[in-house]
Amino acid sequence: DQSGAYTSDAYVGFLDVDGTWSSQHGWGGDSHFDSANSVAPSPTGDYWYIGGTFASTVEFPGGVTLTSRSGSVDVWVMQIADAGVQWVTQGGGTGVDTLRNIVVDSSDALYAVGEFDGVLASYGNDRLTANSGGTDVWAGKIAVDGSWTWAKKGGGASDDMGFSLALSNDESILYTTGLIAGQTTFENTANTLMGNTSGASDAFVAESNTSTGEWQGLYLAGGPSGGDRGWAIDVDAADVVHTAGRFKG
């Protein structure tokens, strides 16, 4: 597999326990936005999940061809079993949509996070519109059959980004971390959560209900300088949430 001189392609590789590559596959189109950004095994051991971004028209392994909306950058998620690619699904709108991290629960449902801009970004039946002036955070759930269960957003007038995800031990809560800038809203069907950063940007942790996607809590950390953000998040056996990132000032 080989990408073009002025493009980038996605790849997936399988490394055996003895350090040898059992297989490698590459795919992409004619843009430099095609990439695989995150990979996660299913707890059941039945599948692997891979997610990333693509632009224009791309033929994925297994013969699935997807086209992004209006030639923009969309996100994709793939399920792979021993028999090969089971499905590939996409999400996004007319702007630049990014997928940064995925996690999988014990029922083989997948959760993804990233950021998007533009209007009416489609994640299954949910349509998300970013606030004017920058990107917003998105988080979504995909069922084992590849259908989108829900998608939610959070953000304001500046660039807001989602970087990492983790599940509570009983898998009822999804924790999201990243950065938000200025006054932001995390939109629910009913009550909306609001946050306002101390400086140009703060790290955030948001809680959401894994069944509905409704945001349940929003917590900020940062100072008067810009650049504060949460890069990674995880949950220990006592359901204590651990985050890591960077700060300035």
Side-chain angles (χ1 to χ4, degrees):
D1 296 318
Q2 182 176 345
S3 68
Y6 302 102
T7 65
S8 66
D9 285 357
Y11 90 93
V12 58
F14 296 92
L15 192 65
D16 287 338
V17 67
D18 63 358
T20 60
W21 291 98
S22 60
S23 63
Q24 299 177 72
H25 305 278
W27 66 92
D30 57 2
S31 80
H32 61 275
F33 294 107
D34 303 323
S35 66
N37 301 338
S38 187
V39 60
S42 71
T44 63
D46 295 330
Y47 309 105
W48 281 89
Y49 293 91
I50 306 169
T53 60
F54 78 103
S56 300
T57 298
V58 172
E59 182 178 350
F60 289 79
V64 177
T65 298
L66 299 179
T67 300
S68 63
R69 291 186 61 184
S70 304
S72 62
V73 181
D74 281 2
V75 306
W76 60 268
V77 176
M78 176 191 300
Q79 184 194 78
I80 301 177
D82 290 341
V85 174
Q86 303 300 292
W87 49 256
V88 185
T89 190
Q90 72 186 95
T94 58
V96 176
D97 307 285
T98 303
L99 182 150
R100 296 191 180 272
N101 189 222
I102 58 177
V103 295
V104 184
D105 68 18
S106 59
S107 65
D108 282 333
L110 175 144
Y111 305 85
V113 70
E115 64 267 2
F116 76 103
D117 63 13
V119 300
L120 297 179
S122 174
Y123 299 88
N125 293 325
D126 289 307
R127 304 289 188 271
L128 306 181
T129 294
N131 290 280
S132 60
T135 59
D136 280 5
V137 178
W138 70 268
K141 180 179 182 179
I142 300 175
V144 66
D145 64 358
S147 60
W148 288 89
T149 304
W150 53 257
K152 298 290 184 178
K153 73 161 192 172
S158 298
D159 284 328
D160 310 291
M161 302 179 181
F163 292 132
S164 188
L165 296 168
L167 289 165
S168 62
N169 288 289
D170 66 1
E171 299 182 342
S172 66
I173 299 174
L174 179 69
Y175 296 97
T176 303
T177 192
L179 75 87
I180 58 174
Q183 185 170 330
T184 60
T185 58
F186 282 67
E187 296 182 1
N188 284 326
T189 304
N191 59 318
T192 293
L193 304 183
M194 300 187 68
N196 199 4
T197 59
S198 300
S201 66
D202 281 0
F204 80 89
V205 173
E207 297 178 5
S208 54
N209 182 294
T210 55
S211 295
T212 64
E214 295 286 280
W215 302 105
Q216 299 178 158
L218 178 62
Y219 312 98
L220 308 184
S225 300
D228 306 323
R229 62 191 62 190
W231 284 122
I233 192 166
D234 209 344
V235 180
D236 67 19
D239 267 330
V240 176
V241 178
H242 302 261
T243 63
R246 78 175 197 188
F247 74 100
K248 291 184 177 180

